[in-house]
Amino acid sequence: MSSSTFRIGGDLEVGRLGFGAMRLPTGPGPAREASLALARRVVELGITLIDTAHLYGWGANEELLAEALHPYADELLITTKVGVARSAASGEGHLDGRPDVLRDQVEQGLRRLRVERIELLQLHRIDPEVPLADQLGALRELQVQGKVGRIGLSEVTVTELGQAREIVEVASVQNRYSLVDRAHEPVLKACEAAGIAFLPWRPVAGALSGALSGATAEIAAVAAELSATPAQVSLAWLLGHSPVILPIPGTARLEHLEENLAAAQLRLSPAQRDRLDRLPQQAQQA
């Protein structure tokens, strides 16, 4: 049986099933109150890893989490991401890995999250217009200053991960990955070999989608056998697939939050896991 916890960077222990805060409404009114209540329920249910980013509402998501949860429980890790900036002209986001921009976004994150140190800071995307050494060098400087604890990456290839590890110690990788979307399997294997946390985003993608009818039907069949939901089956598969996987499913609905958390207790039989393991090949042939 795989462990229910993981030590990010070798020392920061969190539960392996986390929460992605991106979907939480941050505007004023009843929707915000519901978001605050849900964030508090996340912690009440024992989740110790929450993922946010500067991009999510341009800081509004970070502020929401601070309003809901500060002062934070000792065991709670809120990880955030920097490296996407908002265009003053269009209001749209674009990659911006210039050191001064990264430093400014970290300072904003510290203020909004009401902390003196971000224990895990992830580069949201590598900016191809800025040397990688400059981007990671800026984060390393913040690490030396004590404003950042550990450095992670998002949406990287095996080659980029290797290049980054020559510059800084990489504690985490956050790539799109799910039961039916395993394009980043080589990155996962590289993380596994190095003991790096792998945080899949969109971890239940395809479980409910009609786009992959064969895969969807197989997931639904396994779910029926276990009296579970397709999303729970997808999360259980991820947790058993690799000990470094830390799924961060997101939702704005309390019932979905509780369903997702229950996936940690779901046990797939070897035969069921084998059927699910074969899904990508089946989906590609469909």
Side-chain angles (χ1 to χ4, degrees):
M1 184 183 300
S2 60
S3 173
S4 62
T5 64
F6 184 84
R7 293 183 182 272
I8 299 176
D11 63 344
L12 189 60
E13 187 170 23
V14 297
R16 286 183 57 210
L17 189 55
F19 176 74
M22 181 179 70
R23 297 184 182 181
L24 294 180
T26 57
R32 182 181 182 85
E33 293 305 313
S35 292
L36 293 170
L38 189 137
R40 291 170 182 139
R41 185 60 177 156
V42 165
V43 176
E44 289 172 359
L45 290 172
I47 293 173
T48 54
L49 170 62
I50 298 178
D51 175 80
T52 184
H54 176 83
L55 171 64
Y56 306 160
W58 305 114
N61 198 267
E62 294 172 330
E63 291 176 341
L64 176 84
L65 292 175
E67 181 179 342
L69 302 173
H70 191 273
Y72 306 113
D74 290 341
E75 65 275 12
L76 179 63
L77 168 65
I78 297 181
T79 174
T80 192
K81 299 182 285 294
V82 296
V84 180
R86 191 178 192 179
S87 170
S90 67
E92 296 181 354
H94 62 277
L95 299 185
D96 197 333
R98 291 175 295 172
D100 58 335
V101 171
L102 297 178
R103 284 190 287 264
D104 179 62
Q105 290 187 0
V106 169
E107 293 292 348
Q108 291 181 46
L110 290 168
R111 183 178 69 253
R112 288 172 172 145
L113 289 169
R114 308 180 197 175
V115 294
E116 296 182 354
R117 170 176 158 124
I118 296 170
E119 292 297 340
L120 176 61
L121 178 78
Q122 300 175 100
L123 184 62
H124 210 143
R125 296 289 188 276
I126 293 175
D127 184 350
E129 302 300 321
V130 179
L132 181 60
D134 290 354
Q135 297 176 68
L136 295 180
L139 301 186
R140 184 175 55 193
E141 289 175 5
L142 291 163
Q143 191 176 36
V144 171
Q145 294 169 11
K147 296 180 179 181
V148 169
R150 297 152 196 83
I151 297 170
L153 305 169
S154 182
E155 283 303 289
V156 292
T157 64
V158 171
T159 298
E160 289 169 337
L161 174 58
Q163 292 169 341
R165 294 183 68 204
E166 294 177 357
I167 303 169
V168 297
E169 182 174 346
V170 178
S172 68
V173 168
Q174 186 169 327
N175 279 19
R176 191 181 71 185
Y177 185 89
S178 70
L179 174 54
V180 297
D181 180 5
R182 300 182 223 174
H184 287 300
E185 187 76 25
V187 182
L188 169 60
K189 293 306 180 185
C191 288
E192 192 173 303
I196 295 171
F198 186 88
L199 284 62
W201 58 275
R202 293 191 67 190
V204 298
L208 304 176
S209 171
L212 298 170
S213 57
T216 305
E218 191 66 77
I219 297 170
V222 173
E225 293 166 11
L226 295 169
S227 298
T229 68
Q232 287 174 327
V233 168
S234 297
L235 291 170
W237 180 87
L238 284 170
L239 290 169
H241 185 56
S242 171
V244 304
I245 287 183
L246 284 66
I248 47 171
T251 182
R253 298 176 59 184
L254 181 58
E255 60 270 29
H256 285 168
L257 170 66
E258 295 177 344
E259 285 176 6
N260 289 341
L261 189 60
Q265 309 304 319
L266 194 64
R267 298 291 174 256
L268 301 172
S269 72
Q272 290 167 333
R273 183 164 291 280
D274 183 62
R275 286 157 58 191
L276 297 173
D277 285 345
R278 295 198 304 266
L279 283 185
Q281 290 75 28
Q282 292 171 350
Q284 289 166 6
Q285 295 166 4

